[in-house]
Amino acid sequence: MTYLTLKDINKIYPNGYHAVHNFNLEIDKGEFIVFVGPSGCGKSTTLRMIAGLEDISNGEFLINGKRANELGPREREVAMVFQSYALYPQMTVFDNIAFGLTLQGVDEEVIEEKVKNTARILGLTDYLDRLPRALSGGQRQRVAIGRAIIRKVGVFLMDEPLSNLDAKQRVTMRSEIAQIHRETGATTIYVTHDQTEAMTLADRIVVMKDGYVQQIGTPYQLYHDPVNVFVAGFIGEPPMNFIRGTVKDGKMAFGANTLDVTAPLGSKAKQYEGREIVFGFRPEAIELGKAANAYYIQAEVELTEMLGDNTNVYITTGEDKAILKVDPHDTPEIDSAIVFSIPYSDVYLFDGETENVIERAAQKK
Ligand code: ADP
């Protein structure tokens, strides 16, 4: 059942800056939605419009099918977790978590029970008497989350909640947020610039760029069927490799390679004769040596990076560079010449001008 609806939402700031363009999204109850994109693409602005902290310039925001544009933050039944935590420094963890309920005049016994239950979910039971300054960054963020989830609101809004934590704490907190979502089942909208956070947490991801939604889909859909070069390059780590070239006689040449683009494109290749296309493949989609039903590419090894479970191999082929992910046992020598294969079904071709995906061989299967 659709719970929240964003219909052609736009934000034009008083200084005239058009930060969000025609944002459309329907969110079901219980969904975990992540807005992802580079800094400045309009994620926070959109979240703040949902929270009621920022006016909607154009378009409609509906809660359970009813227009909510004019409702204040409290009436929308949302709770927001900020990256700065926004805890009260002179209050204990208990009082910080209890604050919203205390304000509402909820019975003390009820508050105590709820705070203890929330602290249990968040692993804060032993810290209830402490002041925020005696906590680690991760623990402070848990208190901030506790303060939000203790109120039984409809939606949790989280704006880069992990950005003040170190890399290790981020990974731990990330799995805790996923766990909290499983336990509470609360509808959540989460903003981040980190594609790994988006991929690991989201039921559905909204990829944004320059105020425009690029694509909305499950992590699987965005990884396997990106609609354009931007999404293909943003989702996945290391990112997808791109090689630009012009189609000549149905072929694209770079370095010592001449690739027959009619293999994945079929008759569509004719439309691209004399035009630029972008050839994309993921670092993990390759095989060293020659394989059947695949392109072979000749390249030089520039650098290798041992990561334990795999090795990133940085290659050059003519003017172009790419990264290949290989089994550590197969790590090639630096400066050696190699051949690798990309199965036709793992090649993405994009229009050089619009950067929209043309076709992927796998889609034809
Ligand atoms: P993100 O969360 O994706 O980093 P924001 O939503 O914070 O991006 O900002 C989107 C764009 O709107 C940015 O270019 C930012 O500079 C601009 N912006 C944000 N707040 C204001 C404001 N109050 N007035 C004018 N422009 C703003």
Side-chain angles (χ1 to χ4, degrees), residues 322-337:
I323 303 177
L324 315 179
K325 226 173 171 174
V326 306
D327 188 301
H329 301 293
D330 301 334
T331 304
E333 296 284 324
I334 292 175
D335 288 337
S336 65

Side-chain angles (χ1 to χ4, degrees), residues 11-20 36-48 54 159-160 191-193 208 211:
K11 178 68 189 183
I12 302 161
Y13 279 110
N15 68 357
Y17 186 73
H18 200 154
V20 178
V36 73
S39 177
C41 69
K43 307 179 294 290
S44 295
T45 301
T46 308
L47 195 74
R48 292 169 61 82
E54 201 68 73
D159 194 352
E160 302 258 4
V191 162
T192 180
H193 62 273
M208 296 181 73

